[in-house]
Amino acid sequence: MQISKHKVVAIDYTLTGPDGAVLDSSEGREPLAYLHGAGNIIAGLEAELEGKTRGDKLDVTVAPAEGYGERNEALIQQVPRSMFEGVDKIEPGMRFNAMSDAGPRVVVVTAVDDDGITIDGNHPLAGMELHFAVTIMDVRDATEEELEHGHVHGAGGHQH
Ligand code: ZN
């Protein structure tokens, strides 16, 4: 069975960044299961998996525009300490949920100084060329319910 729109695909993958460091991997976990053609995974990877079949291995390089987007300097802001009311100690690397014009997003603290706190709302993988080493473990038809929900149920997918 070939990968096409609305197939459920299970993949083992290792994601490395531009410097070769491993950023994420399914090793030691269930393969990742996703609904093909539903935008469950980044566009640049999904496009390369089209037409492949169980057992195929591929190496995919994804440019930022087809991955997590370019970095947006406007998402780096300095905010007053008072915005973190109730947090005792704020240190670079801490993550918070923040409300932005575009809805909720995760921001990371990048600097703490007397004038305030610098936060970065970019996705941690924004602006990075990403490399995926993928093995296709399984391809099957989606169930009606999965198509309705727009995601995969069961092993490697949503549990609900
Ligand atoms: Zn569901």
Side-chain angles (χ1 to χ4, degrees), residues 56-130:
D56 284 353
K57 290 176 191 286
L58 58 160
D59 289 302
V60 180
T61 299
V62 177
E66 294 288 298
Y68 292 94
E70 301 289 352
R71 283 184 61 79
N72 178 358
E73 296 308 314
L75 294 176
I76 301 170
Q77 290 179 292
Q78 197 174 61
V79 296
R81 179 73 178 75
S82 58
M83 274 187 63
F84 295 86
E85 206 177 323
V87 182
D88 287 341
K89 194 164 168 41
I90 296 175
E91 291 177 323
M94 290 174 83
R95 290 174 185 282
F96 294 91
N97 290 306
M99 194 49 81
S100 74
D101 296 342
R105 62 165 61 237
V106 174
V107 300
V108 62
V109 173
T110 55
V112 177
D113 56 49
D114 294 341
D115 298 331
I117 309 234
T118 307
I119 55 171
D120 184 350
N122 284 288
H123 189 283
L125 301 181
M128 267 194 214
E129 186 178 270
L130 303 173

Side-chain angles (χ1 to χ4, degrees), residues 145-146 149-153 158 160:
E145 194 184 43
E146 286 171 329
H149 288 202
H151 57 226
V152 173
H153 294 158
H158 283 244
H160 69 128

Side-chain angles (χ1 to χ4, degrees), residues 10-14 26-32 133-137:
I11 56 172
D12 271 338
Y13 69 95
T14 296
S26 62
E27 204 180 308
R29 299 202 303 252
E30 296 267 12
L32 171 76
V134 177
T135 303
I136 296 159
M137 307 302 288

